[in-house]
Amino acid sequence: MGGSVWRLVTAGVAGAVVLAFVGSPQSLGMLFVVGPDSPAHIGAQLVIALCGAGAMAVAVLLDRYWRWLVAAGAAGVVLATVLHAPEYRGLTATAVGSGQDPATQGLSIPVAVGCLVAGAAGVLVIGLFGVVREVARSSRAGGALAGFVAVAAYYGVAVIGPARSAAATPRVLIVAVAAAVAITAVVLGGKAAVVESDGWARAAGACAAVATVLPTVAVAITGEQAFGTVTGGVVGLVVFGIAVAASATTGLRSVTAVALTGLVLAAPVVMLVLIHDAPAGATGFAWPLALAGVLVGAVGALRTWSTAALVALAVLPFIGMALRPDERGVAEFVVWALLFLVMAAVAASAGLAFRVVGTPAFAALATASALGVFGTLNLWRAAVTEDDGGVGASLGTAGHWVSALLLVCAVALVLVVGRPDPGPDQGVPQAAGTT
């Protein structure tokens, strides 16, 4: 790889570290900033979600200015961190609840700062996939970088680990240094090629970005939790349909790639929420295990067979949990295997899918697809549960089998997506004037 490509890779990795502290809009990472949608303070959450979706949509339309997007997004995250960098309070006190009702606590972040965080993250994630697109034109490392950035956007604690739970001053310093490296590297990354991307594809990607706010809108309208309800399921179907329709503007294989990403991202959501504190520092070896999975998956994204293998292996922990092993040691082993294998599956599948879609709008399409798949499962949850809000259907034996089934379907889609490899008319677009 040339020097300019290495600088861009450096920009992508450093920018991913910045993004990992907050996550992209509507991601698992962002869940730990603004909390799950709650009728108790849905007004503030809706405003924040609209800021994130709107910023992402605008960034998709302006994706050719990816250098500026990276700089603006990274700077925005730094500013938000300086304004509000409380110590990490842990998942159980903010998202799931253990002795305290999250609805009585309010948001853990001021609304104005939350809007800045979501908006900056939306701009940054699109800019970073612009960096990935640039790298992918001249190096296979683009696929690996795509997988790394995707995990940072989705479940950033797997990338930064204990730094996620560090005190305010160290967190500010880490974010500021990473942002400075990203901005400097992206500015010095060499002259960018001109991309004549399809205006319709950009518009469709922007629509997908806006669609990511629909689940929050549903909670605001109904005043009730959407998880485990028919309403949540219908909204999920709508969001998934928008993601599929939007991805069709870049080709039929893009539809399959976006659907694949949605399945892999949605399958482990509940389990990743529950074990989030472990890689954030609660368990010493959890973060190295998660990061190792990310790196293995990033490399695996370079080949179809390795991506399929990693996604297939990620099925095994869910089967193990569904069978409910009696020995505690075995159960713990299954959870740690899940952390490693799921991170590998996410990085590999996202990297492979980006190679097919080939546009920074992939971030919006993948987010909408994942939200759609996860929301659609609410139709099943509502049918099989009575008064537990659907949680039992997600954590019990049936829930683990459903997660396993989603990943099995994803393996089939990997094989479809990976054959044949993208050519000049598909996948990562070629620079103007090149072949």
Side-chain angles (χ1 to χ4, degrees):
M1 293 189 293
S4 62
V5 173
W6 277 117
R7 284 190 287 271
L8 288 176
V9 170
T10 300
V13 172
V17 169
V18 175
L19 184 62
F21 278 90
V22 294
S24 65
Q26 298 292 354
S27 67
L28 281 177
M30 192 64 71
L31 171 70
F32 302 102
V33 177
V34 300
D37 292 340
S38 169
H41 36 77
I42 192 61
Q45 290 177 319
L46 179 58
V47 172
I48 294 172
L50 286 170
C51 288
M56 185 184 289
V58 171
V60 169
L61 296 175
L62 301 176
D63 68 5
R64 69 182 299 173
Y65 303 106
W66 50 270
R67 292 183 189 276
W68 291 105
L69 296 179
V70 170
V77 173
V78 172
L79 177 59
T81 306
V82 171
L83 293 175
H84 185 73
E87 291 189 18
Y88 176 70
R89 294 193 300 169
L91 162 67
T92 53
T94 58
V96 175
S98 62
Q100 282 186 300
D101 180 5
T104 66
Q105 301 177 44
L107 294 183
S108 62
I109 188 170
V111 176
V113 179
C115 289
L116 176 59
V117 167
V123 170
L124 179 57
V125 69
I126 300 300
L128 288 176
F129 276 107
V131 173
V132 172
R133 178 179 60 183
E134 193 69 18
V135 173
R137 284 202 192 90
S138 57
S139 171
R140 292 181 61 85
L145 182 59
F148 187 81
V149 170
V151 175
Y154 169 67
Y155 196 64
V157 70
V159 171
I160 58 174
R164 174 66 179 84
S165 59
T169 299
R171 290 184 67 210
V172 170
L173 289 176
I174 295 171
V175 172
V177 170
V181 171
I183 294 171
T184 302
V186 83
V187 169
L188 299 177
K191 184 177 179 180
V194 177
V195 180
E196 299 298 337
S197 54
D198 187 347
W200 282 109
R202 290 200 306 273
C207 289
V210 173
T212 61
V213 81
L214 291 181
T216 307
V217 171
V219 176
I221 292 174
T222 63
E224 299 177 350
Q225 293 277 1
F227 186 69
T229 67
V230 173
T231 299
V234 172
V235 173
L237 277 174
V238 171
V239 175
F240 183 69
I242 292 173
V244 168
S247 59
T249 59
T250 57
L252 294 179
R253 288 181 69 235
S254 291
V255 173
T256 307
V258 168
L260 155 68
T261 310
L263 292 175
V264 176
L265 294 182
V269 163
V270 177
M271 283 303 302
L272 290 179
V273 167
L274 291 178
I275 64 177
H276 183 273
D277 284 356
T283 304
F285 58 82
W287 171 51
L289 199 62
L291 182 59
V294 175
L295 298 178
V296 168
V299 174
L302 302 181
R303 293 285 188 274
T304 299
W305 65 265
S306 53
T307 299
L310 290 172
V311 176
L313 287 172
V315 175
L316 299 179
F318 289 100
I319 295 177
M321 288 186 294
L323 296 177
R324 296 187 178 185
D326 296 329
E327 297 181 22
R328 179 177 176 82
V330 175
E332 291 180 353
F333 172 79
V334 169
V335 171
W336 302 134
L338 179 144
L339 182 62
F340 174 85
L341 292 172
V342 164
M343 289 301 98
V346 169
S349 57
L352 178 67
F354 179 82
R355 288 168 51 198
V356 173
V357 178
T359 168
F362 170 76
L365 297 171
T367 300
S369 179
L371 285 173
V373 173
F374 185 74
T376 301
L377 291 177
N378 283 318
L379 294 174
W380 168 73
R381 294 186 184 100
V384 301
T385 58
E386 296 179 357
D387 27 68
D388 62 0
V391 175
S394 298
L395 293 179
T397 300
H400 296 319
W401 281 119
V402 168
S403 294
L405 178 61
L406 292 180
L407 291 173
V408 169
C409 293
V411 173
L413 294 184
V414 167
L415 299 177
V416 173
V417 167
R419 201 180 128 214
D421 288 334
D425 58 339
Q426 272 183 302
V428 177
Q430 302 295 308
T434 67
T435 57

